[in-house]
Amino acid sequence: MALYELRAVHFAYGARAALGGPGGLDLDLAAGTIVGIVGPNGAGKSTLIRLLGGLAAPGAGTIRFAGAPLAGRPRRELARAIAYVPQDYSLEFPFTVGEVVLMGRYPHHGPAALEDAHDLTLARAAMERTDMWALRDRRFGELSGGERRRVVLAQAFCQETEVILLDEPTAALDAAHELTLARALAAGRAERGTTVVLVTHNLSVAARLCERVVCLSAGRVVADGAPLAVLGGEAVSAAFGVRFHVARVPGADLPFVVPVALR
């Protein structure tokens, strides 16, 4: 049984359809996999990941999670199972890095509860995994965009969920921390069987991090399968309006994808 089962899903912003063509969107996502969602601007990628997190409800169709309907579940119950890292994250109050990461424990205890030794251990491990431990006492608002991104990723790891949903996780990350993220996601799957669904415009990231890639175009799935087969295929080229070169780094098992020409 799939962890996620989407059947005939439609979603619209007012009169503008964002997801689901004729017949709606059907998609199954297995547990313990790292899946990349790619597609051109406006394809419905961020909408899909918000639906998977229960942050929005489809206008039509059904979404099942772990064998039961996703709709109607209490917010805290979902937060114990699903961590969501948006593209943008801001805070009005001057929290420290360590305090922001510990917010990942709120679904397990509630906002009024004090953190215990286990929470602190998890928070430290999450910050070390994202290379933020040295900055734990810095104010979140004083950080660069890439550092803020790493803090929010650490918060998601600290949340200890079975699913992590990432919207453009490598945006603003430098090369070293992009590799750090890749290691952290792989470790989470190896240690806990974590399922990861990530939206990215960086097709090389999708090729390297994911074992499955789903391409959306105009709210519909146009390609779905092994990363290099999907990213080198005609459907992805047509969706982006670009011809891509897909290859591997000589001497290393590292795939990369480069746009070479407009169609």
Side-chain angles (χ1 to χ4, degrees):
M1 181 179 64
L3 180 64
Y4 277 103
E5 300 170 272
L6 284 70
R7 296 292 181 268
V9 168
H10 286 267
F11 186 87
Y13 296 99
R16 182 177 68 83
L19 205 64
L25 185 143
D26 292 341
L27 186 66
D28 287 349
L29 299 174
T33 57
I34 301 180
V35 181
I37 309 296
V38 304
N41 292 338
K45 302 182 300 296
S46 293
T47 298
L48 173 59
I49 210 166
R50 284 177 54 80
L51 290 173
L52 295 177
L55 301 169
T62 61
I63 301 177
R64 295 178 67 83
F65 174 71
L70 186 65
R73 297 200 191 185
R75 186 69 246 162
R76 181 166 293 177
E77 176 188 326
L78 285 180
R80 287 195 292 265
I82 304 169
Y84 168 69
V85 178
Q87 290 189 41
D88 299 308
Y89 186 94
S90 60
L91 292 168
E92 296 183 7
F93 297 99
F95 293 108
T96 66
V97 167
E99 289 168 338
V100 174
V101 174
L102 276 168
M103 290 176 188
R105 304 305 300 161
Y106 284 1
H108 301 277
H109 301 303
L114 296 176
E115 62 271 8
D116 59 23
H118 178 63
D119 298 326
L120 295 173
T121 297
L122 291 174
R124 175 166 183 161
M127 285 184 274
E128 289 177 341
R129 183 165 284 182
T130 54
D131 195 25
M132 290 306 298
W133 176 247
L135 301 181
R136 61 191 179 278
D137 295 323
R138 288 273 301 276
R139 299 293 180 187
F140 183 80
E142 299 172 356
L143 302 178
S144 70
E147 289 168 337
R148 291 186 189 192
R149 171 65 49 159
R150 284 152 51 202
V151 174
V152 183
L153 288 167
Q155 183 190 92
F157 292 137
C158 188
Q159 202 168 328
E160 273 204 317
T161 55
E162 59 184 296
V163 177
I164 299 180
L165 306 175
L166 305 172
D167 199 347
E168 297 292 351
T170 60
L173 293 187
D174 58 36
H177 290 107
E178 187 176 297
L179 291 174
T180 297
L181 172 63
R183 288 197 300 268
L185 294 178
R189 182 176 63 172
E191 295 165 7
R192 294 177 43 81
T194 306
T195 302
V196 178
V197 184
L198 64 92
V199 165
T200 182
H201 279 102
N202 188 326
L203 300 188
S204 289
V205 166
R208 290 196 301 271
L209 291 187
C210 303
E211 59 199 279
R212 176 185 173 191
V213 168
V214 177
C215 180
L216 297 181
S217 181
R220 298 182 298 109
V221 174
V222 296
D224 181 357
L228 296 190
V230 168
L231 297 173
E234 179 64 22
V236 169
S237 177
F240 282 90
V242 172
R243 298 197 182 279
F244 295 102
H245 175 69
V246 179
R248 294 184 182 274
V249 177
D253 190 26
L254 292 173
F256 65 91
V257 183
V258 180
V260 293
L262 295 172
R263 286 171 58 93

